[in-house]
Amino acid sequence: MCGIIGYVGGGTDGDKDGTASDGGGETVGDIVHRGLTNLEYRGYDSAGVALVGATSGLTVAKRSGEVDALTVPDVPDATHGVGHTRWSTHGPPTDANAHPHTDCVGDVAVVHNGIVENYETLKRELSAHECTSDTDTEVIPHLIEDELVADPDADLLAAVQRVEDRLEGSYAICAVREGDDQIVVARRGSPLVLGRGADATFVASDVTAFLEHTRDVTYLEDGDVAALSADGVAIVADGEVVDRGTETVTWEADAAEKGGYDHYMRKEIHEQPEALRQTLAGRLDTTSGDVDLDVSFPPGFLADVEEIQIVACGTSNYAGRYAAQLFEELSGVRATVEIASEYAFGAGRSPDRTLVVAVTQSGETADTLGAVRRANAAGARTVAVTNTLGSTVTREVDNTAFIRAGPEIGVAATKTFASQVATLAMLAVAVGRDRGALGAAAARSVLADLQGLPGAVQQVLDEEPQVREAAQEYQDSEAFFFVGRALGVPVALEGALKLKEISYDHAEGFAAGELKHGPLALVTPATPVVAVLTAGARADETMNNVTEAQTRGAPALGCVSADDEYDTLDVSFDVPEVGVLEPLVANVYLQLFAYHVANEKGRPIDKPRNLAKSVTVE
Ligand code: F6R
């Protein structure tokens, strides 16, 4: 996720008080640069700063690559500045796309997190301006410029307030302007926190950025716009000045990086509602039932396509298995899923009528890249579904759909699985609409379920204490069996993978119907069965198989659609109604279950033994 840091206070030069609250003998550039270093853990591909000097005006420096490689300009009279680490969502990680972005005359600079959904419309309205990047962010300084030209008496705060009214999406913004001694910030959907020093004020996407200077913080709320000066802050909401209070942070930097969570994995599980909002942002047209994923195909290709082959490894493979069922249902095309390391373009298939979809969070998995290369060599059309702009896979495929989940640091994939399935579901709708296989009403219903996903996932996250209790009760089991049918199968496989990789317990996932064809021999009172019993997962039939296991003494845990009930379950987790996406929501319970079992055992959850986040060897 992108990171923001802003500082106003003039730095310290030894003849000030030199307390920790104002940075102790550093220039504004030093303080902003170190703030960027503190934000590095969030993951990024580019960095930049904008410094404002009392007489020297606005100076911007930015580039793709590491914060260490960024030369922060020497601006001795700087009074304030902003910095940004970018995780690309619109446009590749280039110098031009790095933040800050400026207006035409270079008076205004803006850094931004989140997504401006209507940036294309706004860019068209700004046709008289010179835009130099691919980003959605760049419209903001140009809109501010227009406001300041239209009303030369307006200050930066007033201009940002007017611009904010025109932006759609979720974002956090920091703006500075030559000749203005304040930083103006706005929050809608993306976090922003203010740091209150004795004679300095900070703003950042999280407290880690400035924790070494101050622990007194004010959390902005959605819709807040604030003007920051060395003396304090003025926060405005709905046209009124408001007081958001001040809290003292007691975490140490390491915990703060994890947002107060003990592990990145748990943080990332909890980030899923926000990640999903970003995945969906600006892509759904709920009136027409269409989807815009920015993936194009040659005319007539989709009408003639005979097969969609999904290639992926591990969790991404399970996301692919989920999606294959959606592709068949929504687009009417036969869809197969291959483990990427096993993939070969089979005999008897026609490459020009085959679409190969490579699903890879990192975009660097050697096995998946190998499969893409084999598909390309056979002459098939290839699409990547990935989280990582600029990754190798994006350079080797015909098209890419980005999942926009933000960086995932825990080795076990969590939020990226949810965003992969959501992106693939959108692709399935897009293919179905293009082929005329999916009517507008049916498409609208899927889009409504997609829109309901972030809220449904949040409801599950709110039930975490129930999951922790179940994890405590069953943590000492000999083995765990995860079962489901239809869309419940990939979720059962994923639930078992998550548990085994972070708890080191034996866990297996399979189609519920297979239980009686072998695994039932392993079932005992010491082997809980965890079942997906939701819409899209043939719940009643699955429950029959669960009962077979219960008859052999196995405890049974189930993720059950909110409108259903299975009285005989030992533990029942409620899954909010979101149609074919319910198994995906159920998966959040399984992530939390795996997390809490592993946590009870004191496992190194973020870095399980023998595993790497990105597997770049075949
Ligand atoms: C499991 C996990 C792995 C990855 C797999 C593919 O939690 O993270 O199974 O899903 O290594 O990685 P990507 O998606 O980067 O290709």
Side-chain angles (χ1 to χ4, degrees):
M1 253 358 124
C2 301
I4 285 178
I5 172 73
Y7 165 78
V8 48
T12 59
D13 54 12
D15 49 9
K16 284 192 169 186
D17 62 8
T19 59
S21 64
D22 61 13
E26 293 177 307
T27 65
V28 172
D30 295 335
I31 293 169
V32 172
H33 192 237
R34 231 191 23 269
L36 291 179
T37 307
N38 294 339
L39 289 167
E40 280 186 289
Y41 77 93
R42 294 165 67 95
Y44 68 102
D45 49 49
S46 332
V49 297
L51 305 176
V52 186
T55 53
S56 58
L58 179 70
T59 310
V60 172
K62 56 184 191 164
R63 57 167 294 167
S64 65
E66 312 244 309
V67 168
D68 268 358
L70 176 74
T71 307
V72 175
D74 184 22
V75 183
D77 66 336
T79 52
H80 56 296
V82 294
H84 189 263
T85 49
R86 175 173 187 248
W87 170 265
S88 303
T89 55
H90 291 76
T94 60
D95 293 354
N97 288 336
H99 298 208
H101 289 281
T102 50
D103 62 338
C104 293
V105 289
D107 275 355
V108 174
V110 169
V111 295
H112 157 234
N113 286 359
I115 293 175
V116 179
E117 290 183 19
N118 58 336
Y119 82 101
E120 280 168 328
T121 313
L122 293 170
K123 222 170 192 173
R124 281 194 292 278
E125 290 165 18
L126 289 164
S127 56
H129 290 249
E130 194 193 345
C131 290
T132 54
S133 79
D134 308 312
T135 65
D136 52 338
T137 305
E138 197 181 5
V139 297
I140 302 171
H142 289 281
L143 289 169
I144 294 174
E145 180 184 8
D146 268 358
E147 293 298 339
L148 293 169
V149 169
D151 179 1
D153 295 332
D155 62 5
L156 186 58
L157 177 67
V160 169
Q161 281 175 309
R162 282 179 214 150
V163 168
E164 235 232 318
D165 289 341
R166 297 178 63 187
L167 303 180
E168 290 169 18
S170 74
Y171 48 79
I173 300 167
C174 288
V176 291
R177 180 193 184 196
E178 183 162 323
D180 197 311
D181 59 4
Q182 298 184 325
I183 300 176
V184 174
V185 305
R187 178 202 154 132
R188 196 189 294 165
S190 295
L192 267 188
V193 55
L194 309 181
R196 321 287 294 261
D199 50 8
T201 304
F202 298 81
V203 59
S205 8
D206 71 53
V207 291
T208 329
F210 56 68
L211 200 58
E212 65 205 85
H213 300 293
T214 180
R215 290 178 168 270
D216 296 332
V217 303
T218 298
Y219 290 97
L220 291 183
E221 295 183 9
D222 278 350
D224 288 354
V225 180
L228 279 50
S229 66
D231 304 329
V233 301
I235 306 173
V236 182
D238 295 325
E240 305 282 327
V241 174
V242 292
D243 181 359
R244 296 289 181 218
T246 305
E247 294 172 33
T248 302
V249 172
T250 52
W251 311 324
E252 292 311 316
D254 179 50
E257 281 183 4
K258 299 185 190 114
Y261 294 104
D262 289 346
H263 298 96
Y264 284 111
M265 181 183 175
R266 182 152 169 256
K267 174 171 182 270
E268 286 155 6
I269 291 173
H270 280 264
E271 279 173 356
Q272 286 177 109
E274 172 62 11
L276 284 163
R277 268 182 217 111
Q278 293 219 34
T279 303
L280 303 173
R283 289 169 155 178
L284 309 182
D285 183 334
T286 46
T287 313
S288 67
D290 289 327
V291 163
D292 182 5
L293 269 181
D294 213 10
V295 173
S296 56
F297 297 96
F301 173 79
L302 288 177
D304 291 342
V305 77
E306 282 174 356
E307 184 174 352
I308 295 171
Q309 298 176 349
I310 302 174
V311 293
C313 307
T315 291
S316 297
N317 184 278
Y318 301 149
R321 287 188 191 214
Y322 199 118
Q325 297 183 46
L326 298 181
F327 273 113
E328 295 206 339
E329 190 179 320
L330 303 176
S331 71
V333 185
R334 181 174 70 233
T336 55
V337 189
E338 300 272 355
I339 293 170
S341 55
E342 294 294 317
Y343 175 76
F345 195 86
R349 281 150 158 160
S350 25
D352 50 349
R353 293 187 174 200
T354 302
L355 176 64
V356 176
V357 181
V359 186
T360 165
Q361 171 302 113
S362 61
E364 303 293 349
T365 300
D367 288 334
T368 308
L369 292 172
V372 167
R373 286 168 194 151
R374 292 192 285 282
N376 282 336
R381 193 161 183 89
T382 49
V383 171
V385 172
T386 185
N387 199 26
T388 317
L389 268 88
S391 57
T392 305
V393 79
T394 63
R395 296 195 292 274
E396 304 214 3
V397 291
D398 297 308
N399 279 108
T400 301
F402 291 102
I403 67 168
R404 301 179 183 162
E408 193 172 63
I409 292 166
V411 163
T414 51
K415 63 176 178 172
T416 54
F417 176 78
S419 290
Q420 282 170 340
V421 173
T423 306
L424 288 160
M426 288 189 281
L427 188 59
V429 170
V431 174
R433 296 290 291 145
D434 187 282
R435 287 169 54 83
L438 186 66
R444 278 198 293 269
S445 155
V446 180
L447 300 195
D449 289 338
L450 279 165
Q451 282 188 313
L453 256 186
V457 169
Q458 187 57 56
Q459 284 184 48
V460 169
L461 295 171
D462 294 343
E463 299 302 323
E464 188 172 6
Q466 190 200 0
V467 189
R468 187 188 299 123
E469 213 173 283
Q472 282 162 346
E473 182 166 356
Y474 294 107
Q475 57 165 314
D476 293 326
S477 303
E478 272 170 22
F480 297 82
F481 299 120
F482 290 76
V483 296
R485 286 172 181 256
L487 292 167
V489 176
V491 169
L493 292 166
E494 171 61 6
L497 176 64
K498 220 76 317 173
L499 183 62
K500 75 178 85 159
E501 71 182 322
I502 61 166
S503 75
Y504 312 153
D505 281 311
H506 178 229
E508 266 188 70
F510 40 81
E514 281 295 285
L515 201 53
K516 58 188 174 301
H517 296 292
L520 208 49
L522 296 174
V523 168
T524 72
T527 60
V529 172
V530 185
V532 183
L533 299 162
T534 64
R538 291 162 53 197
D540 286 344
E541 289 165 76
T542 304
M543 192 57 209
N544 290 339
N545 304 120
V546 171
T547 307
E548 288 159 13
Q550 285 182 299
T551 310
R552 274 85 187 166
L557 294 76
C559 302
V560 182
S561 289
D563 59 349
D564 251 331
E565 211 173 316
Y566 295 103
D567 292 342
T568 55
L569 289 173
D570 295 285
V571 179
S572 181
F573 299 122
D574 277 356
V575 178
E577 287 172 52
V578 277
V580 291
L581 299 171
E582 284 183 28
L584 180 60
V585 177
N587 184 57
V588 178
Y589 280 116
L590 307 190
Q591 294 171 341
L592 289 170
F593 185 73
Y595 173 83
H596 284 292
V597 169
N599 199 33
E600 290 295 324
K601 297 186 171 185
R603 303 293 191 223
I605 290 177
D606 286 330
K607 289 193 177 140
R609 68 184 177 206
N610 307 336
L611 298 179
K613 184 71 186 157
S614 185
V615 186
T616 53
V617 289
E618 283 185 77

